[in-house]
Amino acid sequence: KEYAKFYNVNEIFIAITGDLLNSDRRLDEKLAMSTNRAKATFLGVHLLKHFILDLNSVANISVGCVSGNESRVNKDLGWVDQIATDNYDFVIFEILRLLLPDINFITSGGLELVVEVNGHNCLLIHGHQLKNMQSDKIAKVMSKYARNGIILDFMMCGHLHETKITD
């Protein structure tokens, strides 16, 4: 908020890149959980709602979301949006959208979402389908969009558990 005030930022885009909740498919994951995923869903909604409203006090907020692999409801991982939205990330996003009708929610809920941020096309992608962000996999994604007339300026990923900034 201080940064937004200092630099007169009046538009903020929040990118939710998946895995808002951990998996519970393995015993060690269940034992490490502080609560079950149904309760964690509502805790996540509560925390994100207040975070979004707090930021909204200084700027107009837009929120985009893609689904991650750890937050999936079922054991199997889907590669199409119909299956990918059977996911706690999508549920949290949709509850927030219903609770905050004055906030701009850019919905996809699927595996990929292109949004315009400050005049640049940004691809939100969870990243599990890219494995370790090798340049050939990134190039395939970029060319898939370019063939459809969408030139991507940058990508935001969540799954990778590391930062990699590159051309």
Side-chain angles (χ1 to χ4, degrees):
K1 285 173 49 177
E2 295 302 317
Y3 181 91
K5 288 177 192 173
F6 185 78
Y7 288 102
N8 296 317
V9 172
N10 55 16
E11 301 282 335
I12 296 174
F13 175 71
I14 299 171
I16 299 175
T17 58
D19 287 352
L20 293 174
L21 301 185
N22 280 331
S23 169
D24 67 354
R25 289 176 300 284
R26 294 173 290 273
L27 180 60
D28 61 334
E29 292 167 336
K30 284 186 179 188
L31 294 173
M33 293 169 58
S34 55
T35 190
N36 66 55
R37 296 202 311 163
K39 290 179 182 177
T41 297
F42 288 101
L43 289 169
V45 166
H46 178 76
L47 292 171
L48 285 168
K49 178 182 112 179
H50 289 287
F51 172 73
I52 292 167
L53 288 173
D54 192 38
L55 280 179
N56 195 51
S57 69
V58 297
N60 294 320
I61 303 298
S62 296
V63 184
C65 178
V66 292
S67 294
N69 62 318
E70 294 298 320
S71 295
R72 66 187 182 263
V73 173
N74 293 309
K75 184 177 179 179
D76 297 326
L77 182 61
W79 298 102
V80 295
D81 287 352
Q82 180 65 23
I83 303 300
T85 55
D86 194 10
N87 189 297
Y88 289 102
D89 299 327
F90 179 72
V91 171
I92 291 169
F93 180 82
E94 288 299 314
I95 292 171
L96 287 167
R97 190 170 62 85
L98 291 170
L99 289 174
L100 302 172
D102 296 331
I103 302 296
N104 181 26
F105 284 88
I106 305 165
T107 186
S108 151
L111 297 170
E112 300 176 9
L113 175 65
V114 176
V115 295
E116 184 182 321
V117 177
N118 202 23
H120 299 281
N121 286 330
C122 175
L123 174 66
L124 299 186
I125 184 170
H126 177 61
H128 63 283
Q129 60 271 59
L130 298 174
K131 305 284 186 236
N132 59 0
M133 288 290 282
Q134 294 171 334
S135 59
D136 62 324
K137 292 191 191 273
I138 294 170
K140 285 180 184 176
V141 172
M142 303 285 278
S143 66
K144 174 180 84 171
Y145 283 92
R147 283 191 306 271
N148 292 311
I150 300 170
I151 304 305
L152 298 174
D153 298 301
F154 55 96
M155 298 168 60
M156 288 188 202
C157 305
H159 174 81
L160 302 174
H161 307 276
E162 63 189 44
T163 299
K164 181 174 183 178
I165 301 172
T166 183
D167 292 341

mmCIF file of all heavy atoms in Angstrom, residues 4 7 10 21 26 36 38 48-49 57 66 68 70 72 74 81 135 153:
data_model
loop_
_atom_site.group_PDB
_atom_site.id
_atom_site.type_symbol
_atom_site.label_atom_id
_atom_site.label_comp_id
_atom_site.label_asym_id
_atom_site.label_seq_id
_atom_site.Cartn_x
_atom_site.Cartn_y
_atom_site.Cartn_z
ATOM 1 N N ALA A 4 2.234 1.788 -3.476
ATOM 2 C CA ALA A 4 1.180 2.302 -4.361
ATOM 3 C C ALA A 4 0.930 3.785 -4.099
ATOM 4 O O ALA A 4 0.785 4.569 -5.037
ATOM 5 C CB ALA A 4 -0.109 1.501 -4.175
ATOM 6 N N TYR A 7 4.097 5.946 -5.342
ATOM 7 C CA TYR A 7 4.251 6.025 -6.794
ATOM 8 C C TYR A 7 2.936 6.322 -7.528
ATOM 9 O O TYR A 7 2.862 6.208 -8.740
ATOM 10 C CB TYR A 7 4.873 4.736 -7.342
ATOM 11 C CG TYR A 7 6.332 4.610 -6.985
ATOM 12 C CD1 TYR A 7 6.730 3.782 -5.948
ATOM 13 C CD2 TYR A 7 7.297 5.346 -7.663
ATOM 14 C CE1 TYR A 7 8.069 3.665 -5.607
ATOM 15 C CE2 TYR A 7 8.634 5.235 -7.330
ATOM 16 C CZ TYR A 7 9.015 4.395 -6.302
ATOM 17 O OH TYR A 7 10.333 4.296 -5.968
ATOM 18 N N ASN A 10 -2.576 3.395 -9.329
ATOM 19 C CA ASN A 10 -4.024 3.360 -9.157
ATOM 20 C C ASN A 10 -4.661 2.082 -9.687
ATOM 21 O O ASN A 10 -5.866 1.913 -9.605
ATOM 22 C CB ASN A 10 -4.682 4.597 -9.785
ATOM 23 C CG ASN A 10 -4.309 4.768 -11.238
ATOM 24 O OD1 ASN A 10 -3.818 3.851 -11.866
ATOM 25 N ND2 ASN A 10 -4.534 5.958 -11.757
ATOM 26 N N LEU A 21 -3.822 -24.278 -1.659
ATOM 27 C CA LEU A 21 -3.872 -25.307 -0.616
ATOM 28 C C LEU A 21 -2.912 -26.428 -0.978
ATOM 29 O O LEU A 21 -2.673 -26.698 -2.155
ATOM 30 C CB LEU A 21 -5.285 -25.891 -0.482
ATOM 31 C CG LEU A 21 -6.415 -24.928 -0.145
ATOM 32 C CD1 LEU A 21 -7.709 -25.712 0.055
ATOM 33 C CD2 LEU A 21 -6.108 -24.104 1.079
ATOM 34 N N ARG A 26 -1.207 -37.894 0.183
ATOM 35 C CA ARG A 26 -0.207 -38.764 0.801
ATOM 36 C C ARG A 26 -0.288 -38.631 2.318
ATOM 37 O O ARG A 26 -0.639 -37.574 2.844
ATOM 38 C CB ARG A 26 1.188 -38.386 0.283
ATOM 39 C CG ARG A 26 1.349 -38.665 -1.221
ATOM 40 C CD ARG A 26 2.660 -38.150 -1.795
ATOM 41 N NE ARG A 26 2.756 -36.706 -1.867
ATOM 42 C CZ ARG A 26 2.323 -35.970 -2.897
ATOM 43 N NH1 ARG A 26 1.760 -36.531 -3.928
ATOM 44 N NH2 ARG A 26 2.453 -34.657 -2.878
ATOM 45 N N ASN A 36 -8.271 -29.501 7.831
ATOM 46 C CA ASN A 36 -8.620 -30.158 6.572
ATOM 47 C C ASN A 36 -8.804 -29.124 5.467
ATOM 48 O O ASN A 36 -8.888 -27.921 5.713
ATOM 49 C CB ASN A 36 -9.867 -31.042 6.745
ATOM 50 C CG ASN A 36 -11.109 -30.242 7.044
ATOM 51 O OD1 ASN A 36 -11.469 -29.332 6.312
ATOM 52 N ND2 ASN A 36 -11.789 -30.583 8.131
ATOM 53 N N ALA A 38 -11.326 -28.477 3.449
ATOM 54 C CA ALA A 38 -12.599 -27.737 3.430
ATOM 55 C C ALA A 38 -12.496 -26.513 4.345
ATOM 56 O O ALA A 38 -12.859 -25.396 3.960
ATOM 57 C CB ALA A 38 -13.752 -28.637 3.847
ATOM 58 N N LEU A 48 -7.703 -13.853 1.969
ATOM 59 C CA LEU A 48 -7.588 -13.163 0.678
ATOM 60 C C LEU A 48 -8.604 -12.046 0.530
ATOM 61 O O LEU A 48 -8.307 -10.997 -0.049
ATOM 62 C CB LEU A 48 -7.715 -14.171 -0.459
ATOM 63 C CG LEU A 48 -6.485 -15.057 -0.679
ATOM 64 C CD1 LEU A 48 -6.806 -16.210 -1.621
ATOM 65 C CD2 LEU A 48 -5.328 -14.227 -1.203
ATOM 66 N N LYS A 49 -9.812 -12.247 1.049
ATOM 67 C CA LYS A 49 -10.830 -11.196 0.980
ATOM 68 C C LYS A 49 -10.329 -9.928 1.666
ATOM 69 O O LYS A 49 -10.413 -8.828 1.109
ATOM 70 C CB LYS A 49 -12.133 -11.671 1.636
ATOM 71 C CG LYS A 49 -13.225 -10.616 1.637
ATOM 72 C CD LYS A 49 -14.469 -11.130 2.330
ATOM 73 C CE LYS A 49 -14.652 -10.359 3.594
ATOM 74 N NZ LYS A 49 -15.822 -10.712 4.366
ATOM 75 N N SER A 57 -8.339 -0.197 -0.988
ATOM 76 C CA SER A 57 -8.473 1.123 -0.371
ATOM 77 C C SER A 57 -7.517 2.145 -0.982
ATOM 78 O O SER A 57 -7.697 3.340 -0.798
ATOM 79 C CB SER A 57 -8.263 1.022 1.143
ATOM 80 O OG SER A 57 -6.905 0.722 1.447
ATOM 81 N N VAL A 66 -5.363 -19.048 -12.043
ATOM 82 C CA VAL A 66 -5.261 -20.338 -12.710
ATOM 83 C C VAL A 66 -5.166 -21.407 -11.637
ATOM 84 O O VAL A 66 -4.776 -21.134 -10.498
ATOM 85 C CB VAL A 66 -4.059 -20.420 -13.680
ATOM 86 C CG1 VAL A 66 -4.243 -19.501 -14.872
ATOM 87 C CG2 VAL A 66 -2.753 -20.123 -12.967
ATOM 88 N N GLY A 68 -3.812 -24.786 -9.764
ATOM 89 C CA GLY A 68 -2.572 -25.521 -9.567
ATOM 90 C C GLY A 68 -2.815 -27.019 -9.463
ATOM 91 O O GLY A 68 -3.954 -27.480 -9.460
ATOM 92 N N GLU A 70 -1.491 -29.064 -6.857
ATOM 93 C CA GLU A 70 -1.619 -29.543 -5.474
ATOM 94 C C GLU A 70 -3.008 -29.291 -4.906
ATOM 95 O O GLU A 70 -3.442 -29.989 -4.002
ATOM 96 C CB GLU A 70 -0.566 -28.882 -4.580
ATOM 97 C CG GLU A 70 0.853 -29.278 -4.908
ATOM 98 C CD GLU A 70 1.119 -30.757 -4.729
ATOM 99 O OE1 GLU A 70 0.626 -31.361 -3.761
ATOM 100 O OE2 GLU A 70 1.828 -31.329 -5.581
ATOM 101 N N ARG A 72 -5.844 -29.648 -6.442
ATOM 102 C CA ARG A 72 -6.916 -30.392 -7.115
ATOM 103 C C ARG A 72 -7.696 -31.210 -6.104
ATOM 104 O O ARG A 72 -7.163 -31.683 -5.105
ATOM 105 C CB ARG A 72 -6.365 -31.253 -8.240
ATOM 106 C CG ARG A 72 -5.447 -32.389 -7.795
ATOM 107 C CD ARG A 72 -4.834 -33.067 -9.024
ATOM 108 N NE ARG A 72 -4.001 -34.185 -8.678
ATOM 109 C CZ ARG A 72 -2.680 -34.132 -8.551
ATOM 110 N NH1 ARG A 72 -2.046 -32.989 -8.709
ATOM 111 N NH2 ARG A 72 -1.999 -35.209 -8.248
ATOM 112 N N ASN A 74 -9.544 -34.079 -6.775
ATOM 113 C CA ASN A 74 -9.390 -35.514 -6.989
ATOM 114 C C ASN A 74 -7.935 -35.926 -7.127
ATOM 115 O O ASN A 74 -7.050 -35.084 -7.290
ATOM 116 C CB ASN A 74 -10.167 -35.938 -8.248
ATOM 117 C CG ASN A 74 -11.659 -35.785 -8.055
ATOM 118 O OD1 ASN A 74 -12.207 -36.262 -7.078
ATOM 119 N ND2 ASN A 74 -12.301 -35.075 -8.968
ATOM 120 N N ASP A 81 -9.553 -27.708 -19.076
ATOM 121 C CA ASP A 81 -10.132 -26.785 -18.094
ATOM 122 C C ASP A 81 -11.291 -27.398 -17.310
ATOM 123 O O ASP A 81 -11.465 -27.104 -16.133
ATOM 124 C CB ASP A 81 -10.565 -25.496 -18.773
ATOM 125 C CG ASP A 81 -9.373 -24.619 -19.159
ATOM 126 O OD1 ASP A 81 -8.236 -24.946 -18.759
ATOM 127 O OD2 ASP A 81 -9.582 -23.618 -19.854
ATOM 128 N N SER A 135 13.933 -23.736 -21.898
ATOM 129 C CA SER A 135 13.576 -22.753 -22.920
ATOM 130 C C SER A 135 12.758 -23.357 -24.052
ATOM 131 O O SER A 135 11.923 -22.669 -24.647
ATOM 132 C CB SER A 135 14.833 -22.074 -23.468
ATOM 133 O OG SER A 135 15.706 -23.032 -24.027
ATOM 134 N N ASP A 153 4.234 -11.024 -23.688
ATOM 135 C CA ASP A 153 5.378 -10.240 -23.244
ATOM 136 C C ASP A 153 6.080 -10.886 -22.058
ATOM 137 O O ASP A 153 7.296 -10.763 -21.904
ATOM 138 C CB ASP A 153 4.932 -8.821 -22.884
ATOM 139 C CG ASP A 153 4.360 -8.098 -24.088
ATOM 140 O OD1 ASP A 153 5.094 -7.959 -25.091
ATOM 141 O OD2 ASP A 153 3.191 -7.688 -24.038
#
